[in-house]
Amino acid sequence: MPDILHAVGIKATPHQVYTALTTIKGLAGWWTSDTDGDPETGGVIHFHFGPKAQVDTKVLEPKRDTLVLWEVLAAHDDWIGTKIRFELRQDGDTTLVLFKHEGWRSPTRFMHHCSTKWATFLVSLKTSLETGKGTPFPDDVQISSKAA
Amino acid sequence: MPDILHAVGIKATPHQVYTALTTIKGLAGWWTSDTDGDPETGGVIHFHFGPKAQVDTKVLEPKRDTLVLWEVLAAHDDWIGTKIRFELRQDGDTTLVLFKHEGWRSPTRFMHHCSTKWATFLVSLKTSLETGKGTPFPDDVQISSKAA
């Protein structure tokens, strides 16, 4: 099955990146500013993208400062049952984030779109940590000229 | 074999996007400003990214305003023999670009990096056509805190 893969290097400690991936405040700083739910292990986080789109993820067992893993419970049909993985590796004074959105059943047009969109959100994660200001929804980078 | 997939929607005609992918001036507007070579079918285009990185691609048989396809002749080892494909589809007053960098032998760390970087360059293609100003190398979006 095809995966979406990305990597960004962030001038921050693994713990700072881990915090941005495991707290509502951190997540709201780079993916969507309208985030709520329970970010603890076993909890469900709700990511809202306006009235028409929402992603609910279950938080699977993390490894502190090293791995964050979600299972998608509710979202666009293509996403149901997929997993979203963030591996963190310290590299000098930076942290490398290796990202994988895995379990896509086929390389749909929507998968192409999501791959590009994930890249822009991972750059948002990077800038949220390096400058204090990311570009979460609704201030996200537009990659289509109409709604996806 | 894993592929890198992306999509962007551009407010431009398929012919305008095709021109940005098949002329030296067009390519220099979004991937690297230091581009030369022969963009005709069977020709080799040289993409320079400073003194340490270069990509040479052979131009395979295109379909006018619909498909641009390159084979990578010289670049980072992971890229040799891979193919880079741009499919263009008119969608109302926009053009959808479906991108695929195919033929990777394994999902290396460098593949993760290139996937994210391609997304930023495809956004650069979009802005080069919509605003007249892309972000080609050396003005490209930085996704690492050190050289890749």
Side-chain angles (χ1 to χ4, degrees):
Chain A
M1 288 188 295
D3 300 325
I4 293 172
L5 306 176
H6 287 299
V8 289
I10 303 177
K11 278 187 192 162
T13 64
H15 184 66
Q16 287 171 317
V17 179
Y18 186 82
T19 301
L21 298 171
T22 55
T23 62
I24 297 299
K25 183 181 175 189
L27 292 162
W30 67 270
W31 197 16
T32 166
S33 54
D34 190 2
T35 298
D36 54 47
D38 174 9
E40 300 298 317
T41 304
V44 177
I45 310 175
H46 310 287
F47 299 96
H48 308 275
F49 299 86
K52 291 185 182 170
Q54 179 171 334
V55 176
D56 291 347
T57 64
K58 182 175 179 180
V59 179
L60 303 185
E61 186 72 31
K63 294 181 186 169
R64 188 172 175 81
D65 299 347
T66 304
L67 175 69
V68 173
L69 184 60
W70 300 330
E71 180 182 352
V72 177
L73 300 183
H76 186 288
D77 280 352
D78 285 4
W79 282 42
I80 306 291
T82 60
K83 288 185 182 170
I84 298 169
R85 173 188 298 267
F86 305 82
E87 283 185 47
L88 314 184
R89 297 185 189 174
Q90 187 158 12
D91 184 14
D93 62 350
T94 71
T95 298
L96 177 69
V97 179
L98 290 173
F99 170 90
K100 188 193 281 191
H101 186 173
E102 62 193 1
W104 292 79
R105 289 175 287 278
S106 63
T108 58
R109 175 172 155 173
F110 188 59
M111 183 182 174
H112 289 68
H113 170 85
C114 293
S115 176
T116 311
K117 200 76 190 180
W118 270 125
T120 67
F121 282 121
L122 290 163
V123 171
S124 172
L125 170 64
K126 174 179 168 66
T127 57
S128 77
L129 285 160
E130 293 183 349
T131 72
K133 186 164 172 50
T135 53
F137 176 90
D139 299 320
D140 48 321
V141 174
Q142 296 305 301
I143 64 165
S144 300
S145 298
K146 33 180 89 181
Chain B
M1 287 188 294
D3 300 326
I4 292 172
L5 306 176
H6 288 298
V8 288
I10 302 178
K11 278 187 192 164
T13 65
H15 184 65
Q16 287 171 318
V17 179
Y18 186 82
T19 301
L21 297 171
T22 56
T23 62
I24 297 299
K25 183 181 175 190
L27 292 162
W30 66 270
W31 198 16
T32 167
S33 55
D34 191 2
T35 299
D36 55 46
D38 174 9
E40 299 298 317
T41 304
V44 177
I45 311 175
H46 311 286
F47 299 96
H48 308 274
F49 299 86
K52 291 185 181 170
Q54 179 171 334
V55 176
D56 291 347
T57 65
K58 182 174 178 180
V59 180
L60 304 185
E61 187 71 31
K63 292 181 187 169
R64 188 171 176 81
D65 300 346
T66 305
L67 174 70
V68 173
L69 184 59
W70 300 330
E71 180 182 353
V72 177
L73 300 182
H76 185 288
D77 280 352
D78 285 4
W79 282 43
I80 306 291
T82 61
K83 288 184 183 170
I84 297 168
R85 174 188 298 268
F86 305 83
E87 282 184 49
L88 313 183
R89 296 186 190 173
Q90 187 159 13
D91 184 14
D93 62 350
T94 71
T95 298
L96 176 70
V97 180
L98 291 173
F99 171 90
K100 187 192 281 189
H101 186 173
E102 62 192 2
W104 292 79
R105 288 174 289 277
S106 64
T108 58
R109 175 171 156 174
F110 187 59
M111 184 181 174
H112 289 67
H113 169 85
C114 293
S115 177
T116 312
K117 200 75 190 181
W118 269 126
T120 67
F121 282 121
L122 290 162
V123 171
S124 171
L125 170 64
K126 174 179 169 67
T127 57
S128 77
L129 284 159
E130 293 183 347
T131 71
K133 186 164 171 53
T135 52
F137 175 90
D139 299 319
D140 48 322
V141 174
Q142 297 304 302
I143 64 166
S144 299
S145 298
K146 33 179 89 179

Coordinates of all heavy atoms in Angstrom, one line a residue, chain B residues 11-43:
Chain B
K11 N -4.5 28.4 -11.1 CA -5.3 29.2 -11.9 C -4.6 29.6 -13.2 O -4.0 30.7 -13.2 CB -5.8 30.5 -11.1 CG -6.9 30.3 -10.2 CD -7.4 31.5 -9.6 CE -8.4 31.2 -8.5 NZ -8.7 32.3 -7.6
A12 N -4.6 28.8 -14.1 CA -3.8 29.0 -15.4 C -4.4 27.9 -16.3 O -5.0 26.9 -15.9 CB -2.3 28.8 -15.2
T13 N -4.1 28.1 -17.6 CA -4.5 27.1 -18.6 C -3.5 26.0 -18.6 O -2.4 26.1 -18.2 CB -4.6 27.7 -20.0 OG1 -3.2 28.1 -20.4 CG2 -5.5 29.0 -20.1
P14 N -4.0 24.8 -19.1 CA -3.0 23.7 -19.3 C -1.8 24.1 -20.1 O -0.7 23.7 -19.8 CB -3.9 22.6 -20.0 CG -5.3 22.8 -19.5 CD -5.4 24.3 -19.4
H15 N -2.0 24.9 -21.1 CA -0.9 25.3 -22.0 C 0.1 26.2 -21.2 O 1.3 26.1 -21.4 CB -1.4 26.1 -23.2 CG -0.3 26.4 -24.1 ND1 0.4 25.4 -24.8 CD2 0.3 27.6 -24.5 CE1 1.4 26.0 -25.5 NE2 1.3 27.3 -25.4
Q16 N -0.4 27.0 -20.3 CA 0.5 27.9 -19.5 C 1.3 27.0 -18.6 O 2.5 27.2 -18.4 CB -0.3 28.9 -18.7 CG -0.8 30.0 -19.6 CD -1.8 30.9 -18.9 OE1 -2.7 30.5 -18.1 NE2 -1.7 32.2 -19.1
V17 N 0.7 26.0 -18.0 CA 1.4 25.1 -17.1 C 2.4 24.3 -17.9 O 3.6 24.1 -17.5 CB 0.4 24.2 -16.3 CG1 1.2 23.2 -15.4 CG2 -0.6 25.0 -15.5
Y18 N 2.0 23.8 -19.0 CA 2.9 23.0 -19.9 C 4.1 23.8 -20.3 O 5.2 23.3 -20.3 CB 2.1 22.6 -21.1 CG 2.8 21.6 -22.1 CD1 2.8 20.3 -21.8 CD2 3.4 22.1 -23.2 CE1 3.4 19.4 -22.7 CE2 4.0 21.2 -24.1 CZ 4.1 19.9 -23.8 OH 4.7 19.0 -24.7
T19 N 3.9 25.1 -20.6 CA 5.0 26.0 -20.9 C 6.0 26.1 -19.8 O 7.2 26.2 -19.9 CB 4.5 27.3 -21.4 OG1 3.6 27.1 -22.5 CG2 5.6 28.3 -21.8
A20 N 5.5 26.2 -18.6 CA 6.3 26.3 -17.4 C 7.1 25.1 -17.1 O 8.1 25.1 -16.3 CB 5.5 26.7 -16.1
L21 N 6.7 24.0 -17.7 CA 7.4 22.7 -17.5 C 8.3 22.3 -18.7 O 9.0 21.3 -18.6 CB 6.3 21.6 -17.3 CG 5.4 21.7 -16.0 CD1 4.3 20.7 -16.1 CD2 6.3 21.6 -14.8
T22 N 8.2 23.0 -19.8 CA 8.9 22.6 -21.0 C 9.7 23.7 -21.6 O 10.2 23.5 -22.8 CB 7.8 22.1 -22.1 OG1 6.9 23.2 -22.3 CG2 7.1 20.8 -21.6
T23 N 9.9 24.8 -20.9 CA 10.8 25.8 -21.4 C 11.9 26.1 -20.3 O 11.5 26.0 -19.1 CB 10.1 27.1 -21.8 OG1 9.5 27.6 -20.6 CG2 9.0 26.9 -22.8
I24 N 13.0 26.5 -20.7 CA 14.1 26.8 -19.7 C 13.6 28.0 -18.8 O 13.7 28.0 -17.6 CB 15.4 27.2 -20.4 CG1 15.9 25.9 -21.1 CG2 16.4 27.7 -19.4 CD1 16.2 24.7 -20.3
K25 N 13.0 29.0 -19.4 CA 12.5 30.2 -18.7 C 11.4 29.8 -17.7 O 11.5 30.2 -16.5 CB 12.0 31.2 -19.6 CG 11.6 32.5 -18.9 CD 11.0 33.5 -19.9 CE 10.4 34.7 -19.2 NZ 9.7 35.6 -20.1
G26 N 10.5 28.9 -18.1 CA 9.5 28.5 -17.3 C 10.0 27.7 -16.1 O 9.6 27.9 -14.9
L27 N 10.9 26.7 -16.4 CA 11.4 25.9 -15.3 C 12.2 26.7 -14.3 O 12.2 26.5 -13.1 CB 12.3 24.8 -15.9 CG 11.5 23.8 -16.7 CD1 12.5 23.0 -17.7 CD2 10.8 22.8 -15.8
A28 N 13.0 27.7 -14.8 CA 13.8 28.5 -14.0 C 13.0 29.4 -13.0 O 13.5 29.9 -12.0 CB 14.7 29.4 -14.8
G29 N 11.7 29.5 -13.3 CA 10.8 30.3 -12.5 C 10.3 29.6 -11.3 O 9.6 30.3 -10.4
W30 N 10.5 28.3 -11.2 CA 9.9 27.6 -10.0 C 10.8 26.5 -9.4 O 10.7 26.3 -8.2 CB 8.5 27.0 -10.4 CG 8.6 25.9 -11.4 CD1 8.5 26.0 -12.7 CD2 8.7 24.5 -11.1 NE1 8.5 24.8 -13.3 CE2 8.7 23.8 -12.3 CE3 8.8 23.8 -9.9 CZ2 8.8 22.4 -12.5 CZ3 9.0 22.4 -10.0 CH2 8.9 21.7 -11.3
W31 N 11.7 25.9 -10.2 CA 12.5 24.8 -9.5 C 13.9 25.3 -9.1 O 14.2 25.4 -8.0 CB 12.6 23.6 -10.4 CG 13.0 22.3 -9.6 CD1 13.0 22.2 -8.3 CD2 13.5 21.1 -10.1 NE1 13.5 21.0 -7.9 CE2 13.8 20.3 -9.0 CE3 13.7 20.6 -11.4 CZ2 14.2 19.0 -9.1 CZ3 14.1 19.3 -11.5 CH2 14.4 18.5 -10.4
T32 N 14.7 25.7 -10.1 CA 15.9 26.4 -9.8 C 16.2 27.4 -10.9 O 16.0 27.2 -12.1 CB 17.1 25.4 -9.7 OG1 18.3 26.2 -9.7 CG2 17.2 24.4 -10.9
S33 N 16.5 28.6 -10.4 CA 16.8 29.7 -11.3 C 18.0 29.4 -12.2 O 18.2 30.1 -13.2 CB 16.9 31.0 -10.6 OG 17.9 30.9 -9.6
D34 N 18.8 28.5 -11.8 CA 20.0 28.1 -12.6 C 19.7 26.8 -13.4 O 20.1 25.7 -13.0 CB 21.2 27.9 -11.6 CG 22.5 27.8 -12.4 OD1 22.5 27.9 -13.6 OD2 23.5 27.6 -11.7
T35 N 19.0 27.0 -14.5 CA 18.5 25.9 -15.3 C 19.0 26.1 -16.7 O 18.9 27.2 -17.2 CB 17.0 25.7 -15.3 OG1 16.6 25.5 -14.0 CG2 16.5 24.6 -16.2
D36 N 19.6 25.1 -17.4 CA 20.0 25.2 -18.8 C 19.8 23.9 -19.4 O 19.4 22.9 -18.8 CB 21.4 25.8 -19.0 CG 22.4 25.0 -18.2 OD1 22.4 23.8 -18.3 OD2 23.2 25.6 -17.5
G37 N 20.2 23.8 -20.7 CA 20.1 22.5 -21.5 C 19.0 22.6 -22.5 O 18.6 23.7 -23.0
D38 N 18.6 21.4 -23.0 CA 17.7 21.3 -24.1 C 16.4 20.7 -23.7 O 16.3 19.5 -23.4 CB 18.4 20.4 -25.2 CG 17.4 20.1 -26.3 OD1 16.4 20.7 -26.5 OD2 17.8 19.2 -27.1
P39 N 15.3 21.6 -23.7 CA 14.0 21.1 -23.1 C 13.2 20.4 -24.2 O 12.0 20.0 -23.9 CB 13.3 22.3 -22.7 CG 13.9 23.4 -23.6 CD 15.3 23.0 -24.0
E40 N 13.7 20.2 -25.4 CA 12.9 19.5 -26.4 C 12.9 18.0 -26.2 O 13.8 17.4 -25.5 CB 13.5 19.7 -27.8 CG 13.5 21.2 -28.2 CD 12.1 21.8 -28.3 OE1 11.3 21.1 -28.9 OE2 11.9 22.9 -27.8
T41 N 12.0 17.2 -26.8 CA 11.9 15.8 -26.6 C 13.3 15.1 -27.0 O 13.8 15.4 -28.0 CB 10.8 15.2 -27.5 OG1 9.6 15.9 -27.2 CG2 10.7 13.7 -27.3
G42 N 13.8 14.3 -26.1 CA 15.1 13.6 -26.3 C 16.2 14.5 -25.8 O 17.3 13.9 -25.6
G43 N 16.0 15.7 -25.4 CA 17.1 16.6 -24.9 C 17.3 16.3 -23.4 O 16.6 15.6 -22.8

